[in-house]
Amino acid sequence: MIEKHIKDRIYAKYSTHCPFCSYQCAIWVVQDSHGFRVEPREFATNKGEICIKGWHAAALIEHPKRVLNPLIRSKKDNAFRASNWEEAISFTVEKLSQIRSQWGNSSIFVYGSGSLTNEKAYLLGKFARVALQSSAIDYNGRYCMASASKALEMALGIDRGLPFPIDYIAHTDLLLLVGTNPLETMPPIRTHFDCLKKRNKKIIAIDPRPTPTTTYADVHLQIKPGTDGILANGLLYLLIQKNKIDHYFIRNYTYGFEKIPNSVSSFWPAKVETLTGISQRELLRVAELLETEKNIVILTGRGCEQQTQGVFNVLSFINLALALGIVGKVNSGFGTLTGQGNGQGAREFGLKPDQLPGARSNLDSFDRNYIARLWQIDEKDLPSSDKSVTEIFDSLEKPQGIKAMLVFGANPIVSSPNNSKLKRLFPQLEFLLVCDSFLSETAAMADVVLPTAIWAEETGTVTNLEGRVLLRPKILDPPKNVKTDLEIIHLLAEKFGYGVRFSSDPQAIFEELRRATAGAAADYSAITYQRLSRGEELYWPCHSFLSKGQKDIFLSKRFPTDKGKAKFHPVYPIAFPEEPNSEYPFYLTTGRTLYHYQTGVQTRLIQKLQEKEPSVIVEINPAVARHFGIKDGQYVLVETKRGKGYFKAKFSPNLRLDTLFIPFYSNGQVEANALTLSLFDPLSKMPSFKLCAAKIQSPTEQTTHTEIRKEKK
């Protein structure tokens, strides 16, 4: 939609959606004599609100630090030199062909992103499997939604973060938030929270940290880090003991419950208090709220998921939801809050190694044959693998490890755990290609960097956190020598001899995507650009043009599992991979803050956001700081068994005494993920970002001045 307002000095006003998180707030991009700016737009999710990141998203459109030409690393001085597209693409394909010839197809690893549109995710997955014939593919959602995705598939049969619309939050009677801080990471969700509170309904937040969300909540259960599943088992123990579970729902719509009473029998209140730090009084109060409220929504986030037992943690809260009978009930249910802008859509279209478009299984013969026919290849030539990026990076130093890597829209050097190890190993790759709009830390290590269009310069669809499909239209042309990711994939495929199978037109790709998903779990077959352009509210699965898809996919009480019912899973918490001790006495946990998004590649370039939080901070309880002689704002040495760095102290008065928190973005000097643990959940392959042991040290005056000088540079 374009409206002309010449008399108001507005040249054009474009209707679109924010490029950042999965909330996908509706916005206007306004072009006037000063350039571009963003204004909020009324929409069902954000209700006319946007966060500070969204307000400043337009600053990226004409940013002076954009990569504007292909770059090739010179062998002579190891520096980048500007190139042209023909040379850069030819050089890339030549190097990849040599590596394939010597080491095999799967020596090339394709790494995507939850920031890619549905069309890009689909085409990139197809490119890896058809043009490169590589089984080595994954995306940065492995570090985000992997544990939740696995648990949803195991218990409910389908991976949709929110299987119900976001407005259930406003109309429920009790909201239970587990390890998530949406009032800081997706602030416009507050409009739904406010509606709930105006009805005098309650919010319970489970989080080791005090956050804007826990402050807003009526009850804050400040658990010992890593004990989320224990707490859920304790609550379920009480509900079973008091006979406050929904026997009718359990009998008719679930299976496997017979093993649950025994699995939670050892989680009596006194023991749960000892293990979690939550008093028996608080535990009983929460159990009473769960048993008395009619409608309940339970939402998990990265806090309980980014652990070596992340899948079990999520399953434990799904068990709680099933026992209460709230799944498939209006204004109730269980869900997980997706993080990245298209974190939901990207994983549905083939960026996971074990998954094909439409959330089809890469291990299922029918699904494999269906996609192979569509892609005009033999089923036996369709690579099959379930090896995750976590495992692929672990094997980098081994002879059978990957030799080349293609990165689209991600920054694994900062986002991966124990990244000091990666920084040592990445230079050993024979070839690294990065496609990005800006020179991220990963791009700075590449052999070739290909400049890509940003969100305002291309058309594409995304799927928000509630399974709603949205069309983001092209607003302006990209700079002269910048191409879209779709154009880049097409050029690479063309050089490999597959050009006719890889269109660069987003609408044509979406039409193919519709065919690829027809009849699958994530069915987009009846969603079209025309319907989306008309403003229709469409959700997947959507297999009929007479339907708008399914807002609440479980209202029929039918679950896409082997028995058509939801499945209970006994959960037995395991020992932490790394416990605090006398040398490393603190739990270190990581996460996002208000002013920066993901690794901060884009938000660190927006001056007004960077001014708000220029340093990577470490949150410390003031009592702990006094013990170590640390002042608020001083630089503190934080160290684990994997690395160390200086972080600016930020006092958090109500933080647990045994806990430290560091955001996972970088300031170019230090990153939280130099410290984190690379051990991972055996089911989801999710690394333990939220749990490792650390120590702190009061800085010397000389150190403090040195770190300040580094930051100013």
Side-chain angles (χ1 to χ4, degrees):
M1 177 180 179
I2 304 177
E3 298 179 2
K4 299 292 184 180
H5 296 271
I6 302 298
K7 65 179 182 179
D8 298 324
R9 300 177 62 79
I10 294 176
Y11 304 145
K13 192 174 183 179
Y14 307 89
S15 168
T16 187
H17 291 268
C18 178
F20 291 117
C21 81
S22 67
Y23 211 65
Q24 285 297 293
C25 293
I27 59 173
W28 296 107
V29 175
V30 180
Q31 184 180 13
D32 59 23
S33 58
H34 301 290
F36 295 91
R37 70 174 189 275
V38 167
E39 294 178 356
R41 180 164 61 89
E42 186 64 32
F43 198 67
T45 51
N46 60 299
K47 306 290 186 184
E49 300 286 335
I50 54 174
C51 78
I52 190 169
K53 293 184 288 294
W55 275 111
H56 295 290
L60 298 169
I61 292 176
E62 297 175 326
H63 200 284
K65 290 196 175 181
R66 285 282 299 271
V67 181
L68 297 175
N69 292 284
L71 303 175
I72 296 179
R73 189 174 299 280
S74 171
K75 287 185 178 180
K76 185 180 296 185
D77 57 6
N78 203 36
F80 284 126
R81 63 174 176 83
S83 176
N84 58 61
W85 281 96
E86 175 59 33
E87 181 191 18
I89 294 294
S90 296
F91 177 72
T92 296
V93 172
E94 181 183 346
K95 292 293 292 184
L96 294 177
S97 298
Q98 291 171 357
I99 291 166
R100 287 174 67 190
S101 177
Q102 182 176 359
W103 300 103
N105 296 337
S106 294
S107 64
I108 301 173
F109 176 38
V110 176
Y111 189 57
S113 166
S115 67
L116 302 179
T117 63
N118 291 323
E119 294 81 358
K120 294 178 187 180
Y122 173 81
L123 204 68
L124 185 60
K126 180 182 176 182
F127 174 77
R129 296 178 173 98
V130 175
L132 294 179
Q133 300 174 340
S134 174
S135 64
I137 181 171
D138 207 348
Y139 81 125
N140 61 4
R142 178 69 57 184
Y143 297 157
C144 181
M145 289 295 295
S147 291
S149 298
K150 187 65 177 178
L152 288 167
E153 290 169 355
M154 291 170 65
L156 305 179
I158 193 167
D159 169 20
R160 197 173 94 180
L162 285 189
F164 49 79
I166 197 75
D167 61 12
Y168 273 20
I169 291 173
H171 299 105
T172 196
D173 299 321
L174 178 66
L175 177 61
L176 177 61
L177 301 168
V178 188
T180 182
N181 179 23
L183 290 189
E184 189 165 14
T185 58
M186 49 181 70
I189 202 171
R190 184 173 185 138
T191 59
H192 298 280
F193 285 22
D194 287 343
C195 288
L196 183 150
K197 294 291 284 287
K198 285 176 183 175
R199 295 170 42 244
N200 295 315
K201 302 302 180 180
K202 287 186 165 48
I203 299 174
I204 302 169
I206 301 172
D207 199 316
R209 295 175 60 220
T211 68
T213 302
T214 63
T215 301
Y216 188 83
D218 301 279
V219 179
H220 176 198
L221 299 180
Q222 198 166 7
I223 60 168
K224 175 183 174 183
T227 60
D228 312 79
I230 294 171
L231 180 64
N233 278 358
L235 290 169
L236 188 49
Y237 170 93
L238 286 172
L239 292 172
I240 292 173
Q241 291 295 308
K242 297 167 76 175
N243 197 27
K244 296 296 183 179
I245 57 177
D246 189 331
H247 293 283
Y248 179 84
F249 180 88
I250 293 169
R251 183 171 58 254
N252 290 282
Y253 304 116
T254 74
Y255 69 104
F257 179 74
E258 66 278 0
K259 297 179 180 178
I260 298 302
N262 183 60
S263 72
V264 301
S265 62
S266 62
F267 294 93
W268 58 87
K271 183 176 181 180
V272 171
E273 178 178 14
T274 300
L275 294 173
T276 67
I278 303 303
S279 71
Q280 296 180 58
R281 179 182 58 81
E282 288 179 298
L283 196 69
L284 290 166
R285 179 189 178 194
V286 171
E288 185 177 343
L289 287 170
L290 290 171
E291 70 190 50
T292 56
E293 294 296 351
K294 179 182 177 182
N295 295 312
I296 302 169
V297 168
I298 300 176
L299 300 176
T300 63
R302 304 303 83 76
C304 72
E305 297 164 12
Q306 290 178 322
Q307 301 179 26
T308 54
Q309 55 185 358
V311 175
F312 279 2
N313 286 339
V314 178
L315 286 173
S316 67
F317 282 96
I318 295 178
N319 287 342
L320 188 62
L322 294 176
L324 290 166
I326 62 173
V327 179
K329 180 180 178 183
V330 174
N331 296 326
S332 294
F334 173 86
T336 65
L337 293 174
T338 301
Q340 296 183 85
N342 195 33
Q344 180 69 62
R347 66 182 184 268
E348 294 161 8
F349 295 116
L351 288 184
K352 291 169 67 176
D354 60 342
Q355 199 159 278
L356 296 170
R360 297 180 185 275
S361 172
N362 200 8
L363 306 176
D364 179 87
S365 59
F366 175 84
D367 286 343
R368 287 176 55 80
N369 272 295
Y370 184 94
I371 294 299
R373 286 196 303 272
L374 179 68
W375 288 350
Q376 301 172 18
I377 60 174
D378 194 298
E379 186 270 335
K380 64 179 174 55
D381 294 327
L382 181 61
S384 177
S385 173
D386 62 355
K387 189 175 287 188
S388 69
V389 59
T390 320
E391 296 161 298
I392 287 172
F393 281 168
D394 269 357
S395 68
L396 266 173
E397 54 194 332
K398 300 175 182 176
Q400 69 273 24
I402 59 164
K403 306 301 178 184
M405 186 170 172
L406 283 63
V407 179
F408 283 75
N411 189 20
I413 279 293
V414 174
S415 63
S416 299
N418 191 13
N419 66 15
S420 299
K421 178 181 176 182
L422 282 190
K423 289 176 181 178
R424 293 194 304 271
L425 294 176
F426 261 42
Q428 297 178 20
L429 288 170
E430 293 184 19
F431 183 74
L432 174 61
L433 166 72
V434 176
C435 301
D436 210 324
S437 306
F438 301 95
L439 202 65
S440 68
E441 286 84 355
T442 305
M445 301 182 73
D447 297 289
V448 174
V449 178
L450 298 180
T452 61
I454 65 170
W455 58 280
E457 299 164 353
E458 57 187 354
T459 294
T461 61
V462 295
T463 306
N464 81 344
L465 77 170
E466 54 181 352
R468 184 195 301 251
V469 185
L470 304 165
L471 179 64
R472 288 200 313 224
K474 179 179 177 179
I475 292 172
L476 69 158
D477 291 328
K480 181 181 178 182
N481 287 325
V482 170
K483 296 188 182 296
T484 68
D485 291 287
L486 298 178
E487 291 172 328
I488 292 170
I489 296 170
H490 168 76
L491 289 173
L492 291 170
E494 191 173 47
K495 282 289 183 182
F496 278 110
Y498 292 90
V500 293
R501 301 194 203 179
F502 289 84
S503 173
S504 61
D505 175 57
Q507 187 167 356
I509 296 165
F510 193 83
E511 289 300 306
E512 183 178 327
L513 178 157
R514 290 176 55 221
R515 296 194 298 275
T517 64
D523 191 332
Y524 282 58
S525 60
I527 299 174
T528 66
Y529 269 37
Q530 290 75 19
R531 296 185 73 183
L532 293 170
S533 296
R534 289 197 296 267
E536 289 191 48
E537 182 182 336
L538 303 177
Y539 297 79
W540 72 261
C542 186
H543 52 78
S544 168
F545 290 106
L546 300 177
S547 167
K548 295 184 182 297
Q550 293 178 261
K551 281 188 178 184
D552 189 327
I553 59 180
F554 299 132
L555 277 182
S556 66
K557 302 294 195 297
R558 291 285 301 172
F559 298 88
T561 61
D562 53 354
K563 295 186 178 181
K565 296 182 176 184
K567 184 178 181 180
F568 280 95
H569 290 267
V571 175
Y572 303 96
I574 58 177
F576 300 153
E578 189 172 89
E579 288 267 21
N581 54 34
S582 57
E583 184 180 3
Y584 297 94
F586 297 99
Y587 291 102
L588 173 63
T589 188
T590 67
R592 274 176 50 198
T593 59
L594 174 62
Y595 301 110
H596 290 292
Y597 178 69
Q598 302 300 81
T599 63
V601 172
Q602 297 180 52
T603 52
R604 283 181 280 141
L605 296 174
I606 299 174
Q607 184 178 354
K608 291 186 178 179
L609 296 180
Q610 183 66 1
E611 287 172 353
K612 291 287 187 179
E613 194 172 301
S615 307
V616 184
I617 55 97
V618 54
E619 288 186 3
I620 305 174
N621 187 293
V624 172
R626 284 195 298 272
H627 176 78
F628 284 89
I630 297 168
K631 296 178 181 178
D632 197 12
Q634 269 190 319
Y635 281 88
V636 179
L637 180 65
V638 183
E639 184 175 354
T640 69
K641 293 179 181 179
R642 288 151 298 282
K644 59 186 177 180
Y646 287 95
F647 301 86
K648 184 174 282 189
K650 181 180 179 181
F651 285 3
S652 180
N654 296 314
L655 183 65
R656 286 178 59 99
L657 294 173
D658 61 0
T659 302
L660 307 172
F661 168 80
I662 299 176
F664 63 78
Y665 66 88
S666 167
N667 71 351
Q669 300 295 332
V670 292
E671 299 119 14
N673 281 325
L675 313 177
T676 51
L677 194 64
S678 56
L679 293 178
F680 52 84
D681 184 298
L683 295 175
S684 67
K685 314 299 169 38
M686 168 72 82
S688 183
F689 291 110
K690 289 294 188 282
L691 204 62
C692 69
K695 62 182 176 181
I696 56 175
Q697 181 179 320
S698 176
T700 64
E701 186 173 343
Q702 181 180 355
T703 299
T704 301
H705 289 320
T706 300
E707 291 305 311
I708 289 173
R709 284 197 299 273
K710 282 183 181 179
E711 187 173 305
K712 286 181 177 178
K713 287 181 181 178

